[in-house]
Amino acid sequence: LAACPLLTMRTFAEEKASGTLEMLMTSPLSDWQIVLAKYAGCLLFYTVLWLPTVVYLPVLSGVNVSWAGGLPHVVATADLAPVYTTYLGLFLAGAMFLAMGVCVSSMVRDQLVAAQASLALGVLFLAGSFAANAMDGGTGYQVAYYLSVPLHFDRAFSRGVIDLRPVTLYVSVALFSLFLTVRSLESRRYA
């Protein structure tokens, strides 16, 4: 969560502060193309940040190497489904937090304000776990669970289960944030 505001704080706030947003908006690209290009760049960099952890996959899988006929024969002794679903969850949650950060950056002029506001917005999705732990059940618990990213990992992704409720949350919040980003840029044309 902490890396996402830092990755997105300059996407549009720096453009506004330096006065280059007007030049960008007069380019022959549509608003959607500009937003998606900046978002894709942030998402790609976020994904690259996680690549070094792939080195640990052989250790996590408990790889046994035996030599049969002069060739190595690799046998994984552990179930890697929880590892793969955790990576999927990290990617989707990061995509949501990055989209929210891009949206906040399009609405403010200062980079630090963009980082702080998107971090505060992201904390709302972490605070649900504290609220859910305080409740015993019922509708309030279900809402807190639905909005709590740590509980999604605790109960689904880290156990090798792909629950469509968190996936739906992450994708819908990311798409809605990108939609708001485009609308924010379009509003500058009419101001």
Side-chain angles (χ1 to χ4, degrees):
L1 169 69
C4 293
L6 299 176
L7 293 176
T8 60
M9 68 183 188
R10 292 187 66 182
T11 51
F12 289 105
E14 178 69 17
E15 300 271 355
K16 287 181 183 180
S18 65
T20 58
L21 185 62
E22 288 77 17
M23 186 173 24
L24 181 63
M25 297 310 290
T26 58
S27 68
L29 300 172
S30 70
D31 293 340
W32 275 104
Q33 289 172 326
I34 293 169
V35 169
L36 289 178
K38 286 186 174 274
Y39 175 69
C42 290
L43 189 59
L44 179 66
F45 189 75
Y46 174 79
T47 305
V48 168
L49 287 176
W50 285 102
L51 281 181
T53 63
V54 174
V55 173
Y56 299 114
L57 282 178
V59 174
L60 290 174
S61 66
V63 172
N64 290 330
V65 179
S66 62
W67 294 87
L71 297 174
H73 180 67
V74 179
V75 178
T77 58
D79 183 21
L80 289 180
V83 176
Y84 295 139
T85 56
T86 301
Y87 275 123
L88 176 67
L90 285 171
F91 177 78
L92 292 173
M96 177 184 72
F97 289 129
L98 288 172
M100 290 189 316
V102 169
C103 181
V104 168
S105 180
S106 73
M107 295 180 186
V108 298
R109 182 176 290 275
D110 188 51
Q111 297 176 37
L112 293 177
V113 172
Q116 291 170 348
S118 61
L119 184 62
L121 191 60
V123 165
L124 294 175
F125 288 94
L126 299 178
S129 63
F130 299 115
N133 289 335
M135 298 178 200
D136 288 332
T139 306
Y141 173 80
Q142 292 298 326
V143 171
Y145 170 75
Y146 184 72
L147 296 176
S148 173
V149 173
L151 287 178
H152 298 160
F153 280 90
D154 184 42
R155 306 233 171 104
F157 290 118
S158 65
R159 294 182 181 192
V161 177
I162 299 175
D163 188 4
L164 290 181
R165 290 175 295 181
V167 172
T168 303
L169 173 72
Y170 301 156
V171 171
S172 61
V173 169
L175 291 175
F176 185 66
S177 296
L178 293 175
F179 172 77
L180 288 179
T181 305
V182 170
R183 293 297 170 243
S184 172
L185 292 179
E186 286 178 354
S187 69
R188 289 188 50 83
R189 292 183 186 214
Y190 303 115

